Amino acid sequence: MSRTLVSLDDKATAGFTLIETLVALAVVAVSLVTIGALMGSSARGSRKLEQHVALVQAAYNVLWLAFPSRLPPASPAQSGESMAHLWRAQAQPFAIDVGAPANTSAWLPQRITLQVRSPSGGTMELETVRLFRRRAE
């Protein structure tokens, strides 16, 4: 085993300089800020998705709660609250074929316009067509 002597010139060039250390810290800081921003946007996106799913679920519940049977609705405009979401529904006659004889079908199509508002203020509006039994006249 032989030992080599390290000269003073070699000791002066050994290790990192202050500039190299500062550059490395800056790269690490930028990386951490980027990762933090990515995690923040991911959390906001998942929260927004959860709110949208809650709105859709509330709208689905309203359609079945406000119009539970196939009988025509008691009133064309209804409103209420479901799953802490406020809602308003409007039923209107759906355009049917004018050439067909009147009252030949047992079913009457109705256009349902539903607006749902979440407690946080997000809103959703959807339009669908439901079939209701024609009332005997």
Side-chain angles (χ1 to χ4, degrees):
M1 280 207 254
S2 67
R3 289 191 163 187
T4 59
L5 294 175
V6 178
S7 67
L8 288 176
D9 290 337
D10 289 340
K11 287 185 181 179
T13 60
F16 296 106
T17 64
L18 184 59
I19 298 291
E20 291 171 332
T21 306
L22 289 175
V23 168
L25 285 175
V27 168
V28 168
V30 168
S31 299
L32 288 176
V33 166
T34 304
I35 290 170
L38 180 63
M39 289 177 61
S41 68
S42 176
R44 282 190 301 276
S46 66
R47 197 170 22 248
K48 191 171 185 175
L49 183 61
E50 286 175 5
Q51 290 174 349
H52 181 73
V53 168
L55 275 170
V56 170
Q57 183 63 43
Y60 178 78
N61 285 344
V62 167
L63 282 175
W64 290 107
L65 293 174
F67 308 101
S69 67
R70 293 296 183 179
L71 294 176
S75 87
Q78 299 181 32
S79 62
E81 184 175 341
S82 174
M83 298 172 54
H85 290 68
L86 297 174
W87 60 270
R88 183 175 56 220
Q90 181 76 28
Q92 301 168 343
F94 188 73
I96 54 175
D97 186 12
V98 183
N103 298 332
T104 58
S105 173
W107 299 99
L108 181 66
Q110 293 277 321
R111 176 184 304 149
I112 308 294
T113 305
L114 178 65
Q115 296 171 337
V116 181
R117 180 186 306 261
S118 72
S120 65
T123 60
M124 182 177 85
E125 183 172 324
L126 65 93
E127 221 175 82
T128 187
V129 175
R130 300 273 312 259
L131 292 175
F132 296 102
R133 268 197 202 283
R134 189 180 301 275
R135 291 192 180 179
E137 296 176 17

